Amino acid sequence: MSERTDIAICGGGLAGLTLALQVKRRLPERRVTVFEPTRRPLPEACHKVGESSVEVGAHYFGAVLGLHDYMMERHLPKNGLRFFSGVPGAPIEARAEMGPREAPRVPAYQIDRGRFENDLRAWCVDAGVDLREGWGVRDVTLGEGVHTVSAVPVRGSREGEGAAAQLEARWVVDASGRRRLLAKKLGLQADLPAQSSSAWFRVSERVKVRELAGAAEGAWHERDVDDNRWLSTNHLCGTGYWVWLIPLGSGYTSVGIVAEESVHPYKGFSTEAAAREWLASHEPALAERLSGLDFADFIAMKGYRHGATQVFGERWALVGEAGIFVDPLYSPGSDMIGLGNSLTTELIAADLAGEDLEPRRAHYDAFFRDWAALLARTLCEGSRAMGRPEVLGAKLYWDYFYYWACMCPYFLRGHYREPLASHARFHDALRAFAALNDQAQRVFQAWIDVAPAEPGTAFVGLPAIATTLSDLHLALLEERDADETHAEMQRSLAQGRELVDELWLRAVRRAGPTRAAALVERIGWRPSPSDARLAADEAEPKRRRKLLSKPVRDMERSIGKNARAPGAPSLRELCASAPRVEAVAQSR
Ligand SMILES: Cc1cc2nc3c(=O)[nH]c(=O)nc-3n(C[C@H](O)[C@H](O)[C@H](O)COP(=O)(O)OP(=O)(O)OC[C@H]3O[C@@H](n4cnc5c(N)ncnc54)[C@H](O)[C@@H]3O)c2cc1C
């Protein structure tokens, strides 16, 4: 006879364990069972990739699961994202640095995955979760009122001889990571564009970004007043690639290469020896720093990206990498776990309370996948901008802007728990940001081809304080009800339209009169800049400042001015020579 549970979770990695804890706390009287093939103790540092968190994922761990103090004690506070972009192989101090000048007030963490998953397993057991370590799920059969999970004992990395167990469950959640049990069984896999690959390893000591710069580079070192650059997720960037440096609470450093397949083929860094060689030719200072150090582990993954045509079904869900994984740039993996798990918890609670689930299921499914599509639009070709500092600075500004204006306030203020009718307006806002984002990403992709590799500025403060962007970030710490957040999003959308128009003007200025027409054809849309904006371009500095709107002025304070060089055509002249392509603009 089969055993019974209320919620069966297939996979006890980051997504499965955090979901088990969240559901058990929300519904303590319900039985939650997790099948996980591996057993404790898990190795510290060298367990899994996915160590850097950003605002949404960090809020999920810190506030939703209540682990902020634990994160600060056993892991590391994160000092934002930091990028070094310029001519490939150039010394780090000759590249543009883009990141926060001061430690951000909105928390995020650098996470040792082995340490975290050991602790999560213990907390799950303490909370009353039925955690079955050493058991792998072989099959899931979806049924009318009840699903059946077949699991087998696992010895080492293989399925053992023991008898299979059958478990009946009202809910089944696939959290099996890249095994993707349910997506494969139900044929829900989908491709995402422009594959990229990665290789990563850990070394058993701190590798600080300041060690890559010459000691004589006084001004560069002094910029890091509090000596906390190393707590950022540091990105060493070149065209089509970036290399991460992430410090871990266990004292190790995680290092990873991420590269677009069409620019840097996987086989160029797919073994430890190849990766060392690849680093020596692209990031020589880092290769030199690592030269005497053993890699504590080494893993390479070809084509890490995958989509799904559905993530929430009839009493089933795909969470974490069992569902969708877009890209590691900006560390959205934990964000997707945070939102995916939270919507799953809402669905389970609503179902067990007797609600007719279909409207909520369909709505959450569309919402989550629209967000994933927005991420894919932002990230899938993101690494192309890495070697063009002026484009990267502008892209980071825009990408942070819409993230802090849309998904962050929505999630950090708990609006995913709104009744369905109220939640729908956040879906509309998400779609509106996605339409704007599409325009912005078109600009970046075209701009890359006309922008220089040399940086025009040494430091881009992201966010510079106090600007529209830093205000948005700090506002995330404030409580707001759903009406207030929604009204705030509408204001941000209006500002966002101005910013996207300004990005277009910057790209056209960089292209100059001879290349502007081709660039605009490629972008595929054009704005109608206000007369004040065009007049500002022709005005004296003081009047120029008055004519520019606040969002545009604030963007200039972060990424530098979009000013006319002596003798160069004005924006008015450049706009007049650009072709009339309006297709995308109409979708705003
Ligand atoms: C190159 C790269 C860099 C990344 N960097 C970041 C980052 O900096 N920040 C971030 O947030 N995210 C990052 N990610 C994403 C991050 O790795 C994932 O978000 C996260 O690990 C997914 O957790 P998960 O629980 O879905 O999968 P996993 O943690 O892999 O867990 C899946 C679990 O399922 C178990 N399992 C497998 N088969 C079965 C079975 N048959 N039955 C039962 N259980 C099974 C496995 O043993 C495992 O424990 C990165 C991803 C890549 C590829």
Side-chain angles (χ1 to χ4, degrees):
M1 228 181 71
S2 298
E3 289 179 82
R4 283 299 297 253
T5 191
D6 293 304
I7 300 111
I9 300 177
C10 312
L14 188 57
L17 292 168
T18 48
L19 177 67
L21 210 52
Q22 187 175 12
V23 171
K24 192 68 191 167
R25 286 182 183 167
R26 175 81 173 266
L27 303 164
E29 73 289 358
R30 296 294 179 169
R31 187 154 187 210
V32 180
T33 304
V34 178
F35 291 103
E36 167 55 42
T38 62
R39 293 173 189 276
R40 280 170 285 175
L42 306 168
E44 290 209 335
C46 305
H47 183 47
K48 286 180 188 160
V49 74
E51 296 139 324
S52 164
S53 64
V54 286
E55 287 81 351
V56 168
H59 180 82
Y60 178 63
F61 301 135
V64 177
L65 299 180
L67 301 175
H68 175 72
D69 291 346
Y70 159 81
M71 285 293 179
M72 298 302 279
E73 238 171 69
R74 298 286 290 153
H75 300 271
L76 291 172
K78 174 171 161 177
N79 185 17
L81 300 166
R82 190 173 301 278
F83 298 79
F84 296 91
S85 171
V87 178
I92 195 163
E93 60 274 12
R95 304 186 194 183
E97 176 178 358
M98 304 169 193
R101 201 180 276 279
E102 295 162 26
R105 299 255 312 275
V106 184
Y109 318 106
Q110 307 287 24
I111 301 169
D112 184 312
R113 285 287 298 272
R115 182 175 281 186
F116 193 27
E117 289 186 25
N118 276 320
D119 292 336
L120 280 167
R121 287 191 192 192
W123 295 327
C124 278
V125 173
D126 289 350
V129 171
D130 170 23
L131 174 62
R132 303 199 182 178
E133 291 172 284
W135 283 83
V137 173
R138 188 183 268 170
D139 195 18
V140 175
T141 309
L142 300 178
E144 281 280 302
V146 73
H147 306 314
T148 307
V149 175
S150 308
V152 287
V154 174
R155 295 211 183 87
S157 59
R158 291 170 172 274
E159 288 181 1
E161 301 291 304
Q166 303 273 322
L167 189 78
E168 289 184 349
R170 179 155 180 85
W171 269 84
V172 172
V173 180
D174 185 6
S176 64
R178 288 177 178 267
R179 180 79 189 268
R180 307 190 72 201
L181 284 164
L182 263 186
K184 284 182 186 163
K185 183 177 168 102
L186 302 177
L188 305 175
Q189 298 133 288
D191 288 335
L192 290 173
Q195 266 304 354
S196 291
S197 300
S198 181
W200 60 91
F201 51 90
R202 267 70 45 148
V203 292
S204 63
E205 60 184 66
R206 296 250 180 271
V207 176
K208 294 192 175 182
V209 73
R210 74 166 144 78
E211 296 161 352
L212 308 182
E217 299 298 330
W220 189 89
H221 288 288
E222 279 159 25
R223 209 187 290 145
D224 184 16
V225 180
D226 300 322
D227 184 25
N228 59 10
R229 252 186 196 129
W230 66 279
L231 283 166
S232 302
T233 296
N234 281 295
H235 302 67
L236 309 178
C237 309
T239 297
Y241 79 84
W242 50 281
V243 175
W244 80 67
L245 289 176
I246 301 176
L248 302 177
S250 47
Y252 282 67
T253 302
S254 168
V255 184
I257 299 169
V258 180
E260 195 172 312
E261 190 62 28
S262 60
V263 189
H264 301 275
Y266 172 69
K267 65 177 182 334
F269 52 84
S270 60
T271 63
E272 179 176 336
R276 282 193 190 267
E277 234 174 81
W278 189 95
L279 285 172
S281 60
H282 295 87
E283 294 295 340
L286 177 61
E288 174 67 24
R289 172 67 182 84
L290 297 171
S291 64
L293 299 179
D294 288 336
F295 291 180
D297 63 345
F298 182 87
I299 299 159
M301 187 181 283
K302 184 169 186 194
Y304 50 65
R305 212 166 261 157
H306 59 255
T309 55
Q310 190 179 345
V311 292
F312 299 123
E314 208 179 328
R315 291 174 291 103
W316 59 261
L318 315 180
V319 296
E321 287 195 341
I324 298 172
F325 179 71
V326 179
D327 202 89
L329 182 61
Y330 306 152
S331 319
S334 298
D335 285 16
M336 298 194 88
I337 289 175
L339 181 61
N341 281 4
S342 298
L343 294 179
T344 302
T345 304
E346 293 304 306
L347 282 169
I348 293 173
D351 174 52
L352 295 176
E355 181 180 310
D356 166 18
L357 213 55
E358 183 48 24
R360 189 184 287 270
R361 182 210 65 75
H363 177 70
Y364 286 177
D365 189 63
F367 182 82
F368 190 85
R369 288 187 303 105
D370 279 348
W371 177 43
L374 166 72
L375 283 174
R377 188 72 185 95
T378 305
L379 302 176
C380 286
E381 292 177 4
S383 59
R384 290 193 59 228
M386 291 291 168
R388 294 290 177 269
E390 82 177 18
V391 185
L392 182 61
K395 178 172 163 60
L396 293 173
Y397 192 95
W398 166 255
D399 293 348
Y400 291 8
F401 174 84
Y402 86 72
Y403 177 59
W404 291 345
C406 180
M407 281 317 280
C408 283
Y410 160 80
F411 189 76
L412 270 64
R413 296 183 190 144
H415 301 319
Y416 57 88
R417 299 185 70 167
E418 281 294 297
L420 220 46
S422 169
H423 191 272
R425 59 188 161 157
F426 290 107
H427 196 179
D428 292 341
L430 175 69
R431 289 200 192 100
F433 276 107
L436 270 185
N437 183 54
D438 184 62
Q439 291 187 311
Q441 303 302 333
R442 281 167 181 258
V443 171
F444 301 134
Q445 289 306 316
W447 188 355
I448 288 164
D449 292 338
V450 295
E454 293 75 21
T457 176
F459 183 76
V460 175
L462 283 170
I465 296 170
T467 56
T468 318
L469 197 59
S470 64
D471 289 350
L472 269 181
H473 202 217
L474 286 174
L476 297 178
L477 296 169
E478 290 165 23
E479 294 285 323
R480 303 256 205 278
D481 67 22
D483 290 344
E484 288 165 333
T485 299
H486 187 256
E488 216 173 64
M489 282 185 190
Q490 300 309 307
R491 287 194 290 277
S492 295
L493 275 166
Q495 292 176 337
R497 286 182 195 105
E498 280 196 62
L499 291 180
V500 172
D501 288 358
E502 187 65 21
L503 293 169
W504 188 97
L505 292 172
R506 280 175 177 260
V508 168
R509 165 153 279 150
R510 169 55 71 191
T514 54
R515 296 180 295 181
L519 179 104
V520 173
E521 287 284 1
R522 182 140 179 245
I523 291 174
W525 67 276
R526 58 172 290 159
S528 308
S530 68
D531 199 53
R533 175 64 193 96
L534 297 179
D537 194 54
E538 293 150 357
E540 292 304 306
K542 213 167 162 190
R543 192 167 136 68
R544 175 182 189 277
R545 209 182 131 64
K546 279 203 176 128
L547 286 168
L548 290 180
S549 68
K550 179 166 163 38
V552 171
R553 267 197 330 262
D554 281 354
M555 181 157 76
E556 292 205 334
R557 287 181 51 207
S558 277
I559 67 173
K561 277 193 176 159
N562 175 17
R564 181 183 183 185
S570 66
L571 288 176
R572 200 185 296 278
E573 288 160 338
L574 285 166
C575 286
S577 68
R580 301 236 138 251
V581 277
E582 317 254 355
V584 183
Q586 285 161 9
S587 70
R588 273 186 182 181

